[in-house]
Amino acid sequence: MVDNAFVALTHSSTLRRLLYEALAALGLDPTDTYRRAYAGVALAAPLLEAREEHDNAPRFWQALEGISGDTDIGLHLGEVMQPRPMDVVSYLLLAARDLRQGLQAFVRFQHILSGGFAARLQEQGDEAHLVIDLNYREVGSLRQQMECLAVLLSKMLASAAGGELPLMGVEFRHRAPRKLAEHRRLLSVEPRFSRPHDVLILPRALLSRPSRSASPRLFEVLSEEAEKQLAGLVENQLLARVRYWLEVNLGGTTCSLEACALALGSNRGALQRSLSEQGSSFRALHDEVRRLRALRLLDQGLGVREVARACGFAELSPFYRAFRRWQGGTPRGLVSRHGSTGGEALA
């Protein structure tokens, strides 16, 4: 078992430091808060195996409301955080020629901050949508974490934009809390909940406003450093990132090559070529993640229908065919426990 006081919620020292400082500013001892959040949890090899460092985060954010007694603790942490440039990504935001270039750099190098980011920038009409999804294995969006991040990022972007950031909207994946007064006060808009993504919506015209701190040469140097840091991250290796995306999305949405490429900031052809260069393919990785999940869930005693659905199969017959391929034949016990291997729909 690891020491709960030193559980890393992310490999980003910047985000950890801002969180520690904010906890202290709200009168919560950071070390004690961490110990209480992970009390009785054995973070041994089975839990951490093949997972990224940020996957330790859900337990902390889920426990934080109960520890603090504050139903809006995420918003209040974001409120007291004092964002300042402490890493290559935040310096890139400041050195960019405008907010568009800064956000493009944020999206490009997002995994320096957290391996769970699935951020992207979309420009639609008069709006710019900064998707800030953070994904964890088999865990949905975390309300307190995402509300904290929304407030923190809005302050960081305001600084990069020259001191103001008139948000047009904020969307969250989690369900709406009972009271929204603090959301309105700190975000200056009425958030929408139960949406497909966590999103900050900005005026598109703001993206092209020249930055007062722009430095093309510094931006070039910082970009080179960011590329080196990105290449050095174990969790950012292509095969690991694709496996992770599949693990997060399997059974919940269509896991296509196109959708994965979009989430990773690439395109279908480029991702296909990159996987081929690594001696793999999207189909092979998809099959691998499905196989491991199926075996794990069957070992846990789940019924075959539930397992097939959780692995992204719409019918039983394709699941059985895949299982025979994985195992060299359908185990007799699987058929006897669950009946026919015919083409029964799972809907």
Side-chain angles (χ1 to χ4, degrees), residues 133-144:
D133 292 354
L134 265 171
N135 295 323
Y136 302 91
R137 291 190 174 190
E138 301 174 1
V139 176
S141 180
L142 301 166
R143 175 197 162 187
Q144 303 299 348

Side-chain angles (χ1 to χ4, degrees), residues 78-111:
E79 180 182 20
V80 300
M81 283 182 175
Q82 300 299 320
R84 56 199 183 278
M86 293 190 296
D87 56 47
V88 66
V89 178
S90 52
Y91 277 110
L92 276 167
L93 270 172
L94 292 177
R97 66 173 179 269
D98 52 30
L99 190 57
R100 178 181 284 105
Q101 187 183 48
L103 288 177
Q104 289 170 344
F106 170 79
V107 170
R108 170 75 182 105
F109 301 115
Q110 59 188 285
H111 292 99

Side-chain angles (χ1 to χ4, degrees), residues 127-130 166-171 189 192 199-203:
E127 299 178 352
H129 291 207
L130 178 62
L167 286 175
M168 298 176 69
V170 178
E171 297 181 353
V189 293
R192 293 193 293 175
V199 184
L200 297 181
I201 303 174
L202 322 172

Side-chain angles (χ1 to χ4, degrees), residues 240-253:
R241 290 181 65 195
V242 173
R243 287 191 189 97
Y244 185 80
W245 182 88
L246 285 165
E247 180 69 35
V248 168
N249 290 280
L250 191 62
T253 187

